[in-house]
Amino acid sequence: MEKVTEIFGSMVFDDRVMKARLSEKVYKSLKRTIDRGTKLDSSVADAVASAMKDWAIEKGATHYTHWFQPETGLTAEKHDSFITPAPDGRVIMDFSGKELVKGEPDASSFPSGGLRATFEARGYTAWDPTSYAFIKDGTLYIPTAFCSYTGEALDKKVPLLRSMEAINKQALRILKLFGNDKVRSIKTSVGPEQEYFLVDREMWKQRKDLVMTGRTLFGAMPPKGQEMDDHYFGSIKPRVAEYMADLDRELWKLGIYAKTKHNEVAPAQHELAPIYDTTNIAADHNQLTMEVMQKVALRHNLVCLLHEKPFAGVNGSGKHNNWSMSTDSGENLLSPGDTPQENAQFLLFLAAVIKAVDDYQDLLRLSVATAGNDHRLGANEAPPAVISIFLGNELTEILESIEQDVPYGGTKKEKMQLGVDVLPKFSKDTTDRNRTSPFAFTGNKFEFRMLGSSNSISCANIHLNAAVAEVLRQFADELEGVSDFHAALHDLIRKTIHDHKRIIFNGNGYDDAWIAEAEKRGLMNLKTTADAMPHLCDEKNVKMLTAHGIFTEPELYSRRDIMLENYTKTVNIEANTMIDMARKEILPAVLHFTADTAKQAAEKKQFAPNAACAYEQHLVEQLSELTDKMDSATVALEDSVAKLRSIADVLEASAFVRDTLLPQMAELRQAADAAEALTAETYYPFPAYDKLLFGV
Ligand code: ADP
Ligand code: MG
């Protein structure tokens, strides 16, 4: 086997390759573009394109694609070959700077929420040189952003880059106030921990629900679930271990720092964590990771499920978004630091995040809202739908002492004075015990834990960056030009803690008492996508997001509609799949078993006229009642699906899905699962939960 150090990044047009293959002048010019966003001139683009093409062809590539992240779905790509006809009938392999920098995918099939219709029919993709190009399946992939011709963002990357720019701008203003003039840029970094399930492919194929919707829509609980908690620390099964090893190698080739892998709480559930990277690169890599996970699984006759809730009754899958801000020289702004000055700066950034999360709870909640993730949040396994921040007792006490101007009970028994005192060190151990918090401080970063396993991390980070940028702007406005900086800073932090401490909660987020308490504190509880998403267009959010240039107003309305439509469509497909399975698979199977049971009882009676056949009779009665229930629930669902088609308004449709469709689906499932639990396994047309969960 090749060495990891040799295969790592072998399919990536990274800095090593650029340095080796570009002239010094071209390399330097490209580096300036990558590091500082300066415009790339066309002769440089041509030179880069030509080197990229030669490198790709040597690696066996024949095609290239502008790779982008549409507003729904994973990623999109359209492959063009390098082939260009030569006059004498031969072909040459060609790739120009123009083709590298700009592409024109046939954009009409991607959702734009009406944007393209109102502006311009086509969109274009623009190269993001900060994210390296790579080769996958014989194609050169060029990471790009996707816009309409009038500059409206049609993807998730454009607003993500804009949000990174917004936080960069505002954080630099703050650092200047601390006398930090040498810093040239601030970047946000993310390490996303990705959860997933693996199931056997042959079994997967037999389940229409998994094939069509990515989750089981029916399924009685198996005799054993996750109650033994034996999976997390259990050894990794050989077939899974082979998959993981294969996956690591594929990711390493693509320059993705896949670092840890382990089993998760639920049976058949696993996790992969990369080493953190700059946010837009982390986002590209996470999209790529999800694709590669699914592809590699097929090679092992497995299917990788990225759905947030593939199985009822066992934990679903999420994604922890570990987030921090750092300077171009690598200083982490969320690290407490060693000097009083560094501590004061840390407390300001900490206060900014606390205020940002409190002020924009709705934006954070809706940034992770999908039909799939609605099954997790608030279901006693994932963070609740209510947003709060975990800081740990030590840090909370320090903030309280600052706010109330009293000594704190830490090591010093004295008042905290900003700019004079040194904070104690917070080890990860004291900060990371609580796994139930949606937003936890873990020593030198925040871990946003509400993301669903299939979410693009772009959405969460756009809103997180935006909210923090806005608060930093307010802080900078207030602090710039004051005569006594430290006194003003102290007051600002004190006031911020006082006004926003309601968002801090160090207790158990799964506890129902917390939800009641949160309501008393006035925190938002947006339970579903239909509840959360409309807030994207609330006046305060539109004002903030447009002021920082992250979205335009039409972009926001279009995004809200796209996300709500996506929610409605997803549930509609699930409802149709349930109807289909109920009518064509489950009802016939249960009827068959019921009839056979009755027949057997009749035969038995013939043979032994005095036999009571109480068991058979009871079973037949129960199943008969359940089939009637299933039928009426199916009829009701069919009516609702028909009704949904007649609702044109997206807000109304999503509310109908939440209030009518989903409860009816739950009713149908309940009857079907009860019938499944009573029906002989051999009659069932698809594998049950025990086979799926313990079958690999
Ligand atoms: P956990 O205990 O949740 O598994 P880890 O400490 O192993 O947490 O880290 C989880 C993720 O956080 C990894 O992807 C790691 O690279 C990332 N991470 C670590 N430090 C930072 C940081 N400063 N900024 C962003 N992400 C970070
Ligand atoms: Mg974590």
Side-chain angles (χ1 to χ4, degrees):
M1 223 195 238
E2 312 105 297
K3 283 204 205 109
V4 174
T5 46
E6 275 163 26
I7 61 168
F8 190 86
S10 60
M11 290 300 183
V12 185
F13 194 77
D14 59 14
D15 200 58
R16 287 177 299 185
V17 186
M18 290 178 197
K19 223 179 233 159
R21 291 185 175 247
L22 299 172
S23 74
E24 197 176 323
K25 194 170 145 251
V26 169
Y27 172 76
K28 277 196 175 140
S29 166
L30 178 59
K31 272 301 260 188
R32 263 198 305 279
T33 303
I34 293 173
D35 296 339
R36 276 179 257 159
T38 50
K39 211 169 145 40
L40 200 69
D41 72 56
S42 65
S43 67
V44 174
D46 277 333
V48 176
S50 164
M52 226 184 236
K53 177 206 66 185
D54 291 344
W55 169 81
I57 289 171
E58 280 168 37
K59 297 260 178 200
T62 51
H63 288 67
Y64 70 92
T65 182
H66 274 207
W67 183 64
F68 61 100
Q69 299 166 25
E71 292 176 56
T72 56
L74 289 176
T75 51
E77 48 199 66
K78 172 189 161 224
H79 298 228
D80 281 308
S81 82
F82 291 122
I83 290 176
T84 304
D88 56 2
R90 286 178 310 129
V91 290
I92 51 167
M93 300 294 258
D94 198 23
F95 184 51
S96 69
K98 225 174 80 196
E99 287 164 311
L100 166 64
V101 171
K102 196 167 176 174
E104 294 184 26
D106 174 14
S108 53
S109 54
F110 297 105
S112 73
L115 277 183
R116 255 189 326 264
T118 30
F119 294 98
E120 161 70 59
R122 283 181 316 178
Y124 70 91
T125 49
W127 179 34
D128 169 14
T130 62
S131 182
Y132 296 138
F134 57 90
I135 296 170
K136 188 167 77 81
D137 305 327
T139 295
L140 170 68
Y141 279 71
I142 300 155
T144 60
F146 183 32
C147 302
S148 76
Y149 269 96
T150 43
E152 250 77 25
L154 297 174
D155 71 352
K156 293 176 182 148
K157 181 176 260 196
V158 174
L160 180 65
L161 293 170
R162 291 174 183 163
S163 76
M164 290 168 69
E165 182 43 36
I167 204 167
N168 170 54
K169 188 170 151 196
Q170 303 305 333
L172 282 175
R173 288 176 67 195
I174 297 288
L175 289 184
K176 279 224 170 63
L177 292 168
F178 283 90
N180 225 330
D181 312 305
K182 283 200 210 73
V183 177
R184 272 215 298 247
S185 66
I186 307 292
K187 281 194 173 136
T188 55
S189 301
V190 169
E193 301 165 66
Q194 176 74 46
E195 291 182 334
Y196 62 99
F197 278 85
L198 287 178
V199 295
D200 183 81
R201 193 180 177 190
E202 297 310 316
M203 291 190 209
W204 174 85
K205 274 187 197 157
Q206 297 170 50
R207 301 239 6 168
K208 269 189 205 170
D209 46 6
L210 283 179
V211 173
M212 306 302 288
T213 72
R215 74 175 178 112
T216 56
L217 299 166
F218 296 102
M221 280 308 291
K224 173 182 167 178
Q226 63 187 50
E227 58 276 76
M228 300 296 286
D229 278 336
D230 51 359
H231 189 248
Y232 191 89
F233 292 112
S235 62
I236 298 174
K237 290 182 187 154
R239 193 167 163 203
V240 174
E242 278 166 33
Y243 164 76
M244 286 176 167
D246 199 6
L247 176 62
D248 275 347
R249 284 169 53 80
E250 290 300 326
L251 294 174
W252 290 336
K253 281 191 214 164
L254 294 169
I256 296 172
Y257 303 105
K259 176 124 168 101
T260 46
K261 50 188 182 188
H262 56 75
N263 290 345
E264 265 300 330
V265 177
Q269 193 186 30
H270 312 280
E271 183 189 285
L272 180 140
I275 297 173
Y276 67 100
D277 211 331
T278 306
T279 305
N280 63 318
I281 296 167
D284 282 358
H285 281 179
N286 183 248
Q287 295 298 129
L288 203 49
T289 299
M290 291 194 282
E291 279 179 41
V292 175
M293 279 175 144
Q294 290 175 310
K295 200 184 80 183
V296 172
L298 298 181
R299 277 191 219 151
H300 296 259
N301 213 21
L302 294 166
V303 172
C304 169
L305 303 177
L306 291 171
H307 194 282
E308 282 75 12
K309 194 73 179 172
F311 303 100
V314 293
N315 277 7
S317 298
K319 184 141 57 188
H320 291 174
N321 188 85
N322 293 273
W323 178 91
S324 66
M325 304 184 244
S326 55
T327 66
D328 51 343
S329 60
E331 183 198 350
N332 181 349
L333 299 176
L334 296 177
S335 197
D338 300 318
T339 64
Q341 176 80 353
E342 284 168 351
N343 286 169
Q345 186 184 299
F346 161 73
L347 285 170
L348 178 139
F349 282 107
L350 179 73
V353 176
I354 293 170
K355 178 168 159 59
V357 173
D358 189 25
D359 283 348
Y360 296 99
Q361 295 164 46
D362 46 359
L363 285 184
L364 292 179
R365 169 64 184 94
L366 69 87
S367 75
V368 301
T370 59
N373 212 17
D374 283 358
H375 296 289
R376 281 177 72 240
L377 301 176
N380 286 348
E381 55 162 61
V386 178
I387 307 234
S388 64
I389 300 184
F390 173 88
L391 292 179
N393 292 335
E394 219 177 345
L395 191 52
T396 305
E397 265 177 37
I398 289 168
L399 296 189
E400 273 166 6
S401 103
I402 296 171
E403 186 217 344
Q404 288 153 24
D405 207 22
V406 295
Y408 78 96
T411 44
K412 283 182 60 186
K413 304 272 178 226
E414 272 170 37
K415 291 183 191 175
M416 262 305 294
Q417 232 187 315
L418 249 61
V420 178
D421 288 331
V422 181
L423 290 173
K425 279 262 172 272
F426 309 105
S427 67
K428 192 180 152 58
D429 272 0
T430 60
T431 54
D432 198 26
R433 294 249 167 78
N434 187 325
R435 312 298 280 179
T436 66
S437 174
F439 202 94
F441 181 66
T442 52
N444 61 0
K445 63 186 191 293
F446 280 96
E447 191 167 338
F448 185 23
R449 299 190 177 126
M450 289 174 96
L451 285 77
S453 46
S454 72
N455 281 159
S456 156
I457 65 165
S458 296
C459 304
N461 287 291
I462 291 166
H463 292 293
L464 179 55
N465 291 344
V468 175
E470 165 60 17
V471 176
L472 293 175
R473 178 197 67 76
Q474 294 172 21
F475 284 6
D477 283 356
E478 195 165 329
L479 295 172
E480 277 168 358
V482 293
S483 52
D484 184 346
F485 176 65
H486 275 111
L489 177 65
H490 195 98
D491 288 348
L492 175 70
I493 290 180
R494 237 180 110 173
K495 182 174 175 340
T496 306
I497 298 165
H498 178 267
D499 293 349
H500 299 284
K501 62 184 173 193
R502 64 171 187 168
I503 198 79
I504 299 169
F505 174 65
N506 294 324
N508 179 4
Y510 296 173
D511 200 338
D512 287 339
W514 161 237
I515 303 304
E517 157 81 15
E519 196 175 319
K520 266 194 235 137
R521 292 191 190 185
L523 300 179
M524 297 176 105
N525 186 3
L526 302 168
K527 292 199 182 102
T528 70
T529 303
D531 298 302
M533 205 54 76
H535 288 283
L536 185 58
C537 297
D538 284 359
E539 198 185 329
K540 85 168 204 311
N541 294 332
V542 173
K543 218 172 128 197
M544 185 277 276
L545 291 164
T546 55
H548 288 277
I550 294 164
F551 288 110
T552 63
E553 198 165 338
E555 282 172 0
L556 285 170
Y557 280 94
S558 89
R559 256 154 233 259
R560 180 199 64 184
D561 289 358
I562 288 171
M563 295 311 289
L564 283 173
E565 260 168 31
N566 202 37
Y567 169 78
T568 300
K569 280 184 195 159
T570 303
V571 180
N572 186 44
I573 292 170
E574 290 177 348
N576 280 321
T577 307
M578 285 189 93
I579 292 167
D580 190 87
M581 287 174 79
R583 287 252 178 266
K584 296 189 191 148
E585 295 185 318
I586 301 174
L587 280 166
V590 175
L591 283 182
H592 192 183
F593 177 63
T594 312
D596 280 358
T597 307
K599 215 158 49 191
Q600 280 163 19
E603 276 171 17
K604 197 160 121 184
K605 269 226 180 265
Q606 233 169 24
F607 179 71
N610 293 333
C613 295
Y615 166 66
E616 292 90 331
Q617 190 183 345
H618 184 55
L619 187 60
V620 168
E621 279 167 5
Q622 273 179 297
L623 286 172
S624 171
E625 195 185 322
L626 287 168
T627 38
D628 287 347
K629 259 195 196 153
M630 256 192 280
D631 177 53
S632 53
T634 308
V635 169
L637 196 55
E638 284 162 340
D639 289 348
S640 296
V641 165
K643 168 118 198 277
L644 180 61
R645 269 198 293 270
S646 69
I647 306 175
D649 180 69
V650 280
L651 292 168
E652 206 185 308
S654 65
F656 181 76
V657 162
R658 174 194 60 201
D659 300 334
T660 307
L661 225 53
L662 284 165
Q664 285 177 338
M665 285 161 62
E667 209 160 297
L668 171 56
R669 177 173 186 151
Q670 205 178 24
D673 289 0
E676 185 191 323
L678 295 175
T679 303
E681 215 169 75
T682 47
Y683 284 76
Y684 249 66
F686 46 75
Y689 266 30
D690 53 348
K691 301 271 182 323
L692 288 167
L693 287 168
F694 298 96
V696 173

